Each structure stands twice: as structure tokens, then as C-alpha cells.
Amino acid sequence: MRLAKKLLATPEGAIGLALLLLLAMIALLAPVLSPGDPLRIAGRALIAPFTDPALPLGTDRLGRDVLAGLLHGARTSLAVGLAAAVAALALGLSVGMTAGFAGGLVDEALMRVVDAFQIVPGFLLALAFVSVMGGSMPVVVLAIALGAWSDPARLTRAQVLSVREQDYVASARVIGMHPAEIACKEILPNILPPLLALSAVIVAAAILTEAALSFLGLGDPNMVTWGSMIAEGRNVLRSSPWLSVIPGLALVVTVIAVYLVGEGLDRTLKDQKDSTR
């Protein structure tokens, strides 16, 4: 709660959180605001926005409601972004904590694995994984997480190396605490702040990666996403540009909101660190 209050005190954090809360409400209320299947045919094809009160944002080439797709696409984008970020952070935290706390050959072996994943760009890794495994939503989440976990792992290892020799960790060893207990109770709470700031970057990158995969036709065909809406509109970009522009703007606003929260978190954590010196 204290961190949230300090985050709201920063302009970036307040604006970013307000936008994210609005997007989250839209995502949660999508079935109420636009009940039914968003992929169903709602009217004639290519109705322009603001010309039909029943279809405020018009329809696409197949006559599907653009507003319904936008609302339900918010659910997909936020769900994929958050799930992929949680998976990437969990994997990176586990590997980085183990490497930094164990040291020696374990550290060396795990860091070589991290290096191997960092050689391949995250999007290309996700693209290859989805191409082989299929485009279901769990596969997309796993693919994005596999391309994003190496950065949290390196950051976690660096943080663990900086705190494992502190007096409070040494005291925990002296009183006979189990290494796993020391890692979870003594080290983990002190290395979480930088990871929280990094998580915003991972969420934003995950949302963009999911949109790119859907744009290429590698997303879940049974779910509406902003990337698939942009791809649908590219075929009629000259005559009906709104089909790509509207979901594109939604994607831009979401990513900016996540980055603003990340910037606010970074500033809050830096101010908190300075105040403790």
C-alpha cells in the first residue's frame, strides 16, 4: 500500500495507473458492454465509424463489430501480457536466485543457459516456438515467457550477489536457517524492487509480441486480438484505414500506460533508496 501511494504521487505512475485501471475495467466488463461472440456477424461489411448508432466503430470486411473486437481484444492483450510476465519473472527469479545463492559450478552452468537464450532475440524465439507448437493461447504465453525470462534471471543473480554477504544473511546462516529459507525470507524481499520495475517492461513487450504473432496469423484463431484486427484491416488500408488504426491506437495506449507505470515505479524506488541512505 505504501508503494502504491508513492507511485500515485509521481505524475508518470498516476497517469499510467489511471490508464491501466480504465483498460482493466474495459477488459473485465467486455462481456457486459458487448455480450455474445465478438467474432459473429453483426451487420453489413465495412460500415464506417459513427455512421450507425448500433455499431459505433463500424464493421470489418466480414461485417463483425469493431467495438466488440476492441473490447474483447483488451481482455486478450492484458491477460497474455500479465500471464507471460508472471511466467517469465517466476522462471527468471528461480534461476537467478539459484545461480547467485549457490555460486560455483551451478552458477556457471545456469548462466551459460541464460546466455544461450539471450543470443536469440525474444520475438524470433517466440515465433519459432509458436510455429512448431501451434497458436493456442497457453502456447503463446509460454513462447513469450521463454523469450523474456533471461533478463530477470540476470538481474536477480546480480541482486543476490550484492546482498548474500550482508550481515543479516550471515546472521541467518549462523543461527542455522536452511538455505532455501534464507533465500525466501532474507534475500527475496530485498531484491524484489528492481524486478518490479523490470516487470512493466516485460508486460509491455509481451503485449507487443502477442500482437505481432497475431498479426502474422500465429495467434489463437478462436480469440479476437488487437493484432489480428490490425492484420484484418491491412487488406483494405486505403479504403477503410480505421480497421487498423483503431486497434493500433488501443495497442499504443496500453503499452504507453504500462511504460508510464514502469517509469513511476523506477522513480519511486530510486527516491526510496535515496531516502534510506
Side-chain angles (χ1 to χ4, degrees), residues 161-270:
L161 290 176
S162 68
V163 302
R164 71 177 184 179
E165 301 302 331
Q166 297 292 328
D167 292 340
Y168 61 87
V169 178
S171 300
R173 288 197 188 99
V174 170
I175 64 175
M177 288 181 66
H178 191 275
E181 192 176 3
I182 295 175
C184 294
K185 290 186 177 181
E186 302 295 333
I187 295 179
L188 182 59
N190 292 288
I191 66 172
L192 274 180
L195 287 172
L196 290 176
L198 179 63
S199 65
V201 178
I202 295 175
V203 171
I207 291 173
L208 288 174
T209 302
E210 185 279 325
L213 291 172
S214 296
F215 180 83
L216 295 174
L218 295 174
D220 192 333
N222 299 315
M223 299 186 70
V224 60
T225 68
W226 290 338
S228 62
M229 293 177 69
I230 296 172
E232 175 66 25
R234 65 181 172 181
N235 296 314
V236 288
L237 193 59
R238 291 188 178 182
S239 59
S240 306
W242 69 84
L243 294 180
S244 291
V245 170
I246 291 174
L249 287 175
L251 192 62
V252 168
V253 170
T254 303
V255 172
I256 288 176
V258 175
Y259 271 118
L260 285 175
V261 171
E263 287 294 319
L265 266 174
D266 187 51
R267 175 182 288 191
T268 300
L269 294 173
K270 284 181 180 178

Side-chain angles (χ1 to χ4, degrees), residues 67-94:
L67 178 59
L70 197 68
L71 297 176
H72 287 267
R75 292 168 65 90
T76 305
S77 293
L78 291 178
V80 169
L82 290 174
V86 169
L89 286 170
L91 180 57
L93 186 64
S94 301

Side-chain angles (χ1 to χ4, degrees), residues 116-129:
F117 273 86
Q118 283 194 315
I119 290 173
V120 183
F123 177 70
L124 291 182
L125 183 61
L127 183 65
F129 190 83

